[in-house]
């Protein structure tokens, strides 16, 4: 987990507020991902980035935006938070050069929107 | 077609028993099948993975069995221990250099409890 870090680890915010979740990695991987985890639903992809200039929507991108500031940094923003965005958020990286899509996850950010 | 189904949703096993978690997929383009283990308060971590050119892969007490014709794969945990208590996710993906599918699809997860 130390290779992929996320800040903050916990965040409580109010409806309508803008918040940013940050992710940094020292693994040197090109690919980075943002997922949200909800009980019983597993991991759902919000956005993914294959390099600094290549950003793609995942299956649940509405209400979210991302920024890939550098190879090592990928931020997730909630422009106007709503209660159903309360979830556990994970950043991940992957190394295609290793021959597969093995993903390396950060420790997660627990977000509560009141 | 990109869905990965996983069962059971939760599993309770006695210490020393065998834990079995099953997954099924539909997209024949998938060619990489990892399992992830997640402890409370932590991110998922890669446990073991298999490619469809083999029917079984074993790493310690963890074994993946793969049935390509049935499009099913399963995780077996032998001699289950309380320390194995975690949530397990199966997943499927394809080599992004070969096909247009370039994301990992996760199953919904199985919560495993190993009781002493």
């Amino acid at each position: 987990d130390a290779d992929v870090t996320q800040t903050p680890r916990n965040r409580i915010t109010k409806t309508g507020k803008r918040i940013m979740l940050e992710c940094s990695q020292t693994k040197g991987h090109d690919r980075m991902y943002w997922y949200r985890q909800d009980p019983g639903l597993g991991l759902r992809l919000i956005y993914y980035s294959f390099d600094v200039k290549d950003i793609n929507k995942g299956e649940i991108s509405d209400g979210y935006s991302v920024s890939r500031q550098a190879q090592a940094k990928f931020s997730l923003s909630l422009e106007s938070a709503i209660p159903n965005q309360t979830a556990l958020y994970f950043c991940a990286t992957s190394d295609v050069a290793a021959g597969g899509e093995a993903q390396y996850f950060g420790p997660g950010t627990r977000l509560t929107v009141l | 077609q990109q869905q990965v189904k996983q069962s059971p949703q939760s599993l309770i096993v006695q210490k020393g028993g065998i834990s079995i978690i099953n997954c099924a997929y539909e997209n024949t383009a998938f060619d990489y099948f990892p399992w992830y283990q997640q402890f409370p308060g932590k991110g998922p971590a890669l446990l073991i993975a298999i490619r469809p050119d083999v029917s079984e892969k074993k790493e310690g007490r963890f074994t993946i069995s793969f049935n390509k014709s049935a499009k099913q794969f399963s995780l077996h945990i032998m001699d289950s221990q309380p320390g194995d208590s975690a949530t397990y996710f199966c997943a499927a993906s394809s080599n992004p250099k070969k096909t247009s599918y370039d994301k990992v699809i996760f199953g919904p997860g199985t919560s495993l409890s190993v009781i002493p």
Side-chain angles (χ1 to χ4, degrees):
Chain A
D1 282 359
D3 295 324
V4 183
T5 57
Q6 293 183 234
T7 57
R9 294 295 312 278
N10 290 282
R11 178 75 183 269
I12 300 174
T13 191
K14 294 183 179 180
T15 297
K17 294 291 187 181
R18 182 182 188 276
I19 65 164
M20 178 182 290
L21 309 183
E22 298 185 338
C23 176
S24 295
Q25 54 114 346
T26 58
K27 300 189 76 68
H29 293 168
D30 286 327
R31 299 191 168 198
M32 298 187 73
Y33 307 78
W34 275 104
Y35 291 92
R36 69 176 276 176
Q37 184 177 27
D38 299 276
L41 296 178
L43 291 152
R44 293 184 291 166
L45 183 64
I46 305 172
Y47 270 95
Y48 61 105
S49 171
F50 286 171
D51 65 41
V52 175
K53 296 181 180 180
D54 181 16
I55 293 178
N56 305 276
K57 292 182 177 181
E59 59 181 306
I60 55 164
S61 60
D62 287 348
Y64 302 94
S65 62
V66 291
S67 173
R68 185 82 183 266
Q69 300 95 325
Q71 186 208 33
K73 296 185 181 294
F74 193 34
S75 300
L76 176 72
S77 293
L78 285 67
E79 298 300 326
S80 180
I82 56 177
N84 76 0
Q85 291 178 313
T86 293
L88 196 51
Y89 290 84
F90 288 102
C91 174
T93 72
S94 68
D95 182 14
V96 175
E101 277 286 8
Q103 304 215 326
Y104 302 88
F105 287 82
T109 294
R110 184 169 296 281
L111 175 66
T112 302
V113 183
L114 302 176
Chain B
Q1 196 179 22
Q2 291 198 50
Q3 203 176 22
V4 175
K5 297 179 180 179
Q6 182 173 349
S7 62
Q9 184 175 0
S10 62
L11 181 62
I12 299 174
V13 174
Q14 291 271 1
K15 178 182 176 182
I18 302 174
S19 302
I20 302 174
I21 304 171
N22 301 299
C23 285
Y25 65 98
E26 296 179 355
N27 187 348
T28 56
F30 290 142
D31 62 0
Y32 180 71
F33 302 89
W35 284 88
Y36 289 83
Q37 179 188 55
Q38 183 182 25
F39 293 108
K42 303 289 187 182
L46 180 65
L47 181 64
I48 187 173
I50 196 169
R51 293 200 175 275
D53 53 349
V54 297
S55 60
E56 185 175 281
K57 183 173 182 180
K58 184 176 181 179
E59 291 185 2
R61 296 183 294 107
F62 299 91
T63 300
I64 299 178
S65 296
F66 188 84
N67 185 329
K68 187 175 181 179
S69 61
K71 292 186 283 187
Q72 296 174 348
F73 58 110
S74 59
L75 176 69
H76 293 66
I77 306 174
M78 311 300 287
D79 187 26
S80 298
Q81 299 296 313
D84 297 330
S85 297
T87 299
Y88 292 81
F89 295 96
C90 62
S93 71
S94 63
N95 186 323
K97 295 179 181 177
K98 294 180 181 178
T99 74
S100 62
Y101 297 102
D102 48 18
K103 298 182 291 291
V104 180
I105 307 298
F106 288 87
T110 296
S111 176
L112 171 66
S113 296
V114 181
I115 54 177

